[in-house]
Amino acid sequence: MIRVTTVAGMKDLVRRWRGEGKRIGLVPTMGYLHEGHLSLVRRSKSRSDVTVVSIFVNPAQFGPREDLQKYPRDLERDAALLEKEGVDAVFCPTVGEMYPAGYKTYVQVTELEGRLCGKSRPGHFRGVATVVLKLFNIVEPALAFFGWKDAQQVIVLKRMAADLDLGVEIAACPLVREPDGLAMSSRNAYLSPEERKAAPVLFRSLAAAEKLVAAGERDAAKVVAGIRSAIEAEPLARVDYVEAVSLETLEPVAELAGEVLVALAVFVGTTRLIDNVRLRV
Ligand code: PAF
């Protein structure tokens, strides 16, 4: 596995691969890899000739009072995991390499970026779209792999790829859960043992909602209220939002019909966790 830290170095490698007619798969990450990330790597390997994993904790997507400084990092452990998966290259630039002095350009996916998590994390999706577009320009992937755990990110990036004619396929892959249902996330590392025990309430509340819809419930407000009260019954959990929205526009729906995303963000202790289910009604 080749380790690359500069944009110029990555572009050289990409030029060589493209010259050999290779189809590049990119898995963008912020590191501290878990089984969810590795599932994306395996998808990429099955669909691409070469796989690049980027590891970059992107300051542009963190708010001033968010966890940029304490975000978990362990590059050596990550590199060992990726080596074992047979990844071709890991791109791990510094902040100065990605945002050199004088950096001024940002991408905004209007409307979509302000919904769901965008309300409590203003500027987050602008940071995500910007860094992902930069990574696309550097790595020139045919395919890029993202998990449905970050459903809004998937929708925002699909919109950006279509709107800007990027010619990159955004491959959205299944959310990966722990055995007790907790969605895998690097931020789960913040949870105390008691919080970790409480955290599967997110998944349980969504699974109960899914059952309710399967039994015929179509009133979005009722489904959302059911999820809220299940979470509020857990003393360590505090709801940021629970919403049922159109999977395409992320606009709230009153009636559950077509493709619906039921998404939530919940603080467990001080850690903000997200989860969702997609329903085809
Ligand atoms: O999903 C993430 O880890 C990040 O938002 C991404 C896509 C790597 C951009 O920094």
Side-chain angles (χ1 to χ4, degrees), residues 13-213:
L13 193 55
V14 164
R15 200 173 303 120
R16 201 180 82 210
W17 280 335
R18 288 176 69 90
E20 293 165 1
K22 297 223 162 105
R23 189 174 146 90
I24 301 171
L26 171 66
V27 182
T29 82
M30 299 205 300
Y32 215 69
L33 305 176
H34 50 66
E35 206 42 46
H37 295 114
L38 299 182
S39 74
L40 302 178
V41 167
R42 290 170 199 143
R43 291 261 170 156
S44 175
K45 285 193 53 88
S46 73
R47 294 196 57 202
S48 327
D49 299 317
V50 287
T51 290
V52 178
V53 175
S54 63
I55 297 181
F56 179 64
V57 181
N58 172 34
Q61 70 190 72
F62 287 80
R65 280 179 300 280
E66 291 184 359
D67 55 343
L68 172 63
Q69 297 311 325
K70 73 162 187 175
Y71 195 84
R73 294 161 168 90
D74 191 342
L75 185 57
E76 291 316 313
R77 176 180 156 278
D78 290 347
L81 287 170
L82 297 177
E83 178 102 55
K84 223 162 97 191
E85 293 295 330
V87 165
D88 298 276
V90 57
F91 178 51
C92 42
T94 60
V95 171
E97 186 70 11
M98 290 296 273
Y99 301 109
Y103 190 91
K104 292 283 182 255
T105 307
Y106 294 88
V107 186
Q108 285 185 261
V109 182
T110 57
E111 292 181 29
L112 293 180
E113 65 168 20
R115 300 196 183 276
L116 302 175
C117 287
K119 286 183 227 164
S120 33
R121 304 190 70 190
H124 171 68
F125 289 104
R126 168 189 192 257
V128 169
T130 300
V131 82
V132 169
L133 181 58
K134 280 175 68 69
L135 289 168
F136 285 180
N137 287 332
I138 296 163
V139 178
E140 298 182 48
L143 300 142
F145 297 81
F146 300 89
W148 270 116
K149 150 95 182 338
D150 299 298
Q152 185 172 10
Q153 174 167 280
V154 166
I155 306 296
V156 163
L157 295 177
K158 277 183 187 257
R159 191 73 255 163
M160 176 181 80
D163 288 354
L164 297 182
D165 313 297
L166 298 183
V168 180
E169 180 189 334
I170 305 294
C173 305
L175 194 160
V176 180
R177 297 184 180 281
E178 300 286 357
D180 63 4
L182 178 64
M184 287 199 185
S185 163
S186 306
R187 288 191 169 98
N188 292 349
Y190 297 148
L191 300 172
S192 72
E194 298 76 50
E195 291 164 353
R196 175 63 189 80
K197 248 186 244 159
V201 71
L202 277 67
F203 167 69
R204 279 201 309 275
S205 70
L206 288 169
E210 213 171 354
K211 267 200 194 141
L212 213 59
V213 177

